Each structure stands twice: as C-alpha cells, then as structure tokens.
C-alpha cells in the first residue's frame, strides 16, 4: 500500500500540480479506459505520457539497486559493497558518455543511450570477470579489488571523453547523466528494465537460503552443501546484468544499494528470505520520493538524483556506524 500510495501521489507532484483525485481518475482511464474532458487532456498527457513512466522507472531502479546491493554484500561478504563496486557502473558510463558526446549508436534514436551504456557495461563485466577469475573461481577479495581498480580506469576514460566534448552543453548533459537522472524515462525503455529486475529479484529470492549460507563464509557454506564457486559466479552474472540495465536507463545513482540493505536488515534481521522480500519495496519507495525531490526542489530545473541520494545516504550511513547494537552484514 505504501508503494501504491507513493506512486499515485508522486505522479501528481510537479511543476504542474494535479490533485490526487484527478490523478487517480487519469490512471484509471489510462489503464481501463474512460472519458477525459477536453479541458483535462493536457493534464492527462502530463500524467500518462511523462510522469507515470518516470515514477514507475523510479520504482524499478530503486527496487533493482537495493536488491543487487543485498546480493553483492552477501557475495563478497563486505558491508561496504554496493552495485557499483564491480566496476560495471563506471564501464556503462564510458558507453553513455560516448553516445551523448560523439553520437555513437546515433542510428538507434532514443534507445542509443541505453544501448551504448548496456554494451559498455557488458564489456566491463567481461573484463572484470576475466581478470578476477582464478583456478579456484571468483573470490570475494579479488572481485572487490578488481572491480574497484578497473572502476578508476573506466572513470579516467570517461573523464577524457567528457574533456574532449565538442561543446559545453554536451559536457553538461553527460555530467548530469553521470550523477543519475530519470528524465529520459519513457514507455519504450521501461519494460526491458522491469523484466530484468523482476527476473533478478525472483531468482535471488530462490537463492536466499544459499545466500544465508554464503554470508557465514565459504567453508561453512561448503559444509552445508553449497557449491560456492558456482553460486558466486551466478550471482556475479545476475548482479552485472541488473546493474548494467539499471545504469543504462538511469545513470549512476549511488548509495541506494549501499544504505537500503543495511536499513532493511536493521528492521527485519539478517535472514535473506526476509531481506530480499522487503528490500525491493523499500528501495522502490525511497527512490520514488528522491525523484520527486529532484523534480521540485529546484523547479523548473532538475537536480541530479545521485546528489540527493548521497545527501541522504551519507548521514544515514554514519548513523548506522554509530549504532553499537548493529553489526554490518550481521544480525
């Protein structure tokens, strides 16, 4: 109910305010058919064509980032891990900036940015996998070190691309995307992201018991019958795919995958069956309202979402560190 209420209210908030009763009527008309008065067509188009895809994309991205954060923290057994620790976000940023500034994949039209970011994310995933993998499989330490190191390399490439921008406005657009934005949301890109996130969440829920074992350490997980190497490889692929898709449609939005898993564990405990059931909903609600703030705080201009998630995430993280009763990654 909290998520549904957030969606309905958030869709009505913006430069052109729409009452909740009208918003609900427009949504029902769009979903089930209905009559829209001639004087309400403008508001209906704003709600249905512009705001609803954006709010729903915020739901998908928030749910996906928080879920990936849970999985990665279990996979590498590191409380500071988040979806971008594997270097995939930085890799996607290379592709996105190349599209924005130099017209790569321009023939794909409105899908060029998403395709460029996703292709670069896949390339970054492959590089990280090949460098981190050993005969013993993927170990947590090598994954973190490889992902972190390559992130700096990808960031350097992105910086060079932005520096070579043909004009200042192009560079500004690229930097805005790098800080996270849902302004490009539309009905064309939403289904792909939604399918990938829903599939990933369902798969991770099915693996929740094995994640509980993995969180206790490789030896304990092996004793419980878990093939640690195979599980970690599967988790890497799932998290990489989800992160690549999400970065492609929303840019690099930080802190959601770091903070939300910890807050959820604080409420429901460390059992991944409960954490993975609650984290997607918490992340969805959180990002819906962060996006509302991004749209209205500096209206008619927009603030980058990554700036606001950092503004919330930094004090939240410091608060959690000060809680003596809470152990990161534990119960």
């Amino acid at each position: 109910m909290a998520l549904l209420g957030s969606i309905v209210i958030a869709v009505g908030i913006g430069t052109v305010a729409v009452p909740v009763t009208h918003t609900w009527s427009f949504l029902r008309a769009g979903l089930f058919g209905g009559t829209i008065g001639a004087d309400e067509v403008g508001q209906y188009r704003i709600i249905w064509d512009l705001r609803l895809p954006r709010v729903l994309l915020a739901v998908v991205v928030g749910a996906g980032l928080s879920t990936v954060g849970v999985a990665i923290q279990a996979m590498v057994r590191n409380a500071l891990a988040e979806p971008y620790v594997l270097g995939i976000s930085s890799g996607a940023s290379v592709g996105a900036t190349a599209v924005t500034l130099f017209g790569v994949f321009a023939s794909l039209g409105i899908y060029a940015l998403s395709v460029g970011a996703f292709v670069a994310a896949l390339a970054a995933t492959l590089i990280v996998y090949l460098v981190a993998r050993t005969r013993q499989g993927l170990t947590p330490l090598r994954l973190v070190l490889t992902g972190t190191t390559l992130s700096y390399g990808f960031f350097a490439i992105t910086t060079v691309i932005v520096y070579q921008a043909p004009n200042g406005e192009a560079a500004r657009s690229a930097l805005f995307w790098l800080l996270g934005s849902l302004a490009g949301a539309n009905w064309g890109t939403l289904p792909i992201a939604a399918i990938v996130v829903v599939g990933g969440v369902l798969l991770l829920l099915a693996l929740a018991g094995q994640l509980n074992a993995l969180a206790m350490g490789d030896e304990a997980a092996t004793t419980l019958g878990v093939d640690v190497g195979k599980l970690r490889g599967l988790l890497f692929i799932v998290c990489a795919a989800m992160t690549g898709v999400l970065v492609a449609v929303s840019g690099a939005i930080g802190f959601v995958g770091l903070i939300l898993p910890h807050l959820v564990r604080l409420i429901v405990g460390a059992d991944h069956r409960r954490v993975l059931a609650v984290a997607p909903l918490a992340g969805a609600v959180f990002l819906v309202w962060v996006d509302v703030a991004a749209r209205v705080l500096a209206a008619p201009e927009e603030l980058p979402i990554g700036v606001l998630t950092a503004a919330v995430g930094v004090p939240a993280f410091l608060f959690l560190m000060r809680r003596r009763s809470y152990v990161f990654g534990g119960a």
Side-chain angles (χ1 to χ4, degrees):
M1 291 302 295
L3 178 57
L4 179 60
S6 295
I7 292 173
V8 174
I9 296 173
V11 166
I13 298 176
T15 305
V16 178
V18 180
V20 174
T21 54
H22 289 188
T23 300
W24 184 245
S25 298
F26 295 153
L27 293 178
R28 283 190 303 172
L31 291 171
F32 307 111
T35 303
I36 302 296
D39 59 330
E40 296 177 327
V41 172
Q43 288 187 339
Y44 172 76
R45 290 302 178 191
I46 291 174
I47 294 296
W48 188 258
D49 295 336
L50 299 178
R51 291 187 190 166
L52 184 58
R54 178 167 181 155
V55 172
L56 292 180
L57 186 61
V59 170
V60 170
V61 173
L65 290 178
S66 58
T67 302
V68 174
V70 172
I72 289 181
Q73 288 170 10
M75 178 175 65
V76 302
R77 297 201 308 276
N78 189 322
L80 296 178
E82 63 163 336
Y84 303 128
V85 74
L86 300 180
I88 303 166
S89 172
S90 300
S93 298
V94 173
T97 51
V99 171
T100 303
L101 301 179
F102 300 111
V104 180
F105 297 119
S107 61
L108 297 177
I110 62 172
Y111 300 103
L113 184 62
S114 296
V115 172
F118 186 62
V119 169
L122 290 181
T125 300
L126 180 61
I127 294 172
V128 172
Y129 180 84
L130 292 177
V131 174
R133 183 172 175 79
T134 65
R135 292 181 179 179
Q136 291 73 39
L138 295 172
T139 63
L141 181 59
R142 286 184 67 88
L143 269 176
V144 172
L145 292 178
T146 303
T148 302
T149 301
L150 290 178
S151 288
Y152 284 106
F154 295 141
F155 178 76
I157 296 174
T158 301
T159 302
V160 171
I161 294 176
V162 173
Y163 182 76
Q164 296 295 324
N167 57 71
E169 184 58 32
R172 183 178 182 277
S173 298
L175 290 174
F176 189 86
W177 185 90
L178 290 173
L179 292 174
S181 172
L182 299 176
N186 59 71
W187 289 114
T189 57
L190 180 61
I192 299 175
I195 291 171
V196 172
V197 168
V198 170
V201 170
L202 292 177
L203 178 58
L204 291 173
L205 277 170
L207 298 173
Q210 296 184 54
L211 289 177
N212 285 338
L214 188 63
M216 294 186 292
D218 288 7
E219 292 185 3
T222 301
T223 302
L224 294 172
V226 176
D227 187 333
V228 174
K230 183 178 180 180
L231 176 61
R232 188 167 281 125
L234 177 60
L235 290 174
F236 179 79
I237 294 172
V238 173
C239 292
M242 292 178 67
T243 303
V245 169
L246 294 175
V247 172
V249 297
S250 66
I253 301 176
F255 278 97
V256 178
L258 174 63
I259 296 300
L260 266 298
H262 291 308
L263 293 177
V264 171
R265 289 192 193 98
L266 194 64
I267 297 171
V268 304
D271 188 340
H272 284 87
R273 284 181 288 264
R274 294 196 299 268
V275 174
L276 286 170
V278 176
L281 299 175
V285 172
F286 173 73
L287 201 61
V288 164
W289 288 108
V290 170
D291 182 53
V292 169
R295 286 189 278 124
V296 303
L297 288 181
E301 298 292 328
E302 286 191 19
L303 294 175
I305 292 180
V307 172
L308 297 180
T309 55
V312 175
V314 170
F317 190 78
L318 295 176
F319 169 76
L320 287 175
M321 282 202 306
R322 298 294 298 176
R323 285 183 61 94
R324 296 183 180 181
S325 60
Y326 179 73
V327 179
F328 282 105

